[in-house]
Amino acid sequence: MLSGVEIVALHGFLGLPDDWALLPSLRVHAIDLWPHALNGSDWREGLTDNKPVLMGYSMGGRLAMQAALEEPDRWSALIIVSAHP
């Protein structure tokens, strides 16, 4: 069960962090990807190092797959929803 696990969630291309509000019983840290896309910063900056689960939908899923490839030891698990590499 994921109730005590921290989840970092990445929304899809036309999405917003509120897309993950449907999971109120989980500890979801929803990242707003748009400011990072506009200013070229890395969305992983400022995240804790406690090995959260990384979850992404669509475009966010592709970003999550790339992050898992680049830093596999940073994440405890990967959840990909409707994304294709």
Side-chain angles (χ1 to χ4, degrees):
M1 180 138 244
L2 293 172
S3 60
V5 175
E6 181 182 357
I7 300 171
V8 173
L10 306 175
H11 59 75
F13 180 70
L14 295 176
L16 295 169
D18 289 346
D19 293 348
W20 300 107
L22 298 171
L23 306 172
S25 62
L26 300 177
R27 293 178 43 206
V28 176
H29 178 68
I31 304 291
D32 188 355
L33 295 172
W34 294 117
H36 300 288
L38 295 174
N39 68 25
S41 64
D42 188 344
W43 59 267
R44 293 173 279 190
E45 292 174 6
L47 293 179
T48 62
D49 291 327
N50 59 352
K51 294 188 78 139
V53 171
L54 181 57
M55 176 170 62
Y57 166 72
S58 189
M59 176 195 73
R62 291 180 179 194
L63 292 170
M65 285 187 268
Q66 184 63 38
L69 287 172
E70 290 177 2
E71 298 179 287
D73 294 332
R74 186 169 189 175
W75 318 104
S76 61
L78 187 63
I79 300 171
I80 304 299
V81 182
S82 296
H84 188 276

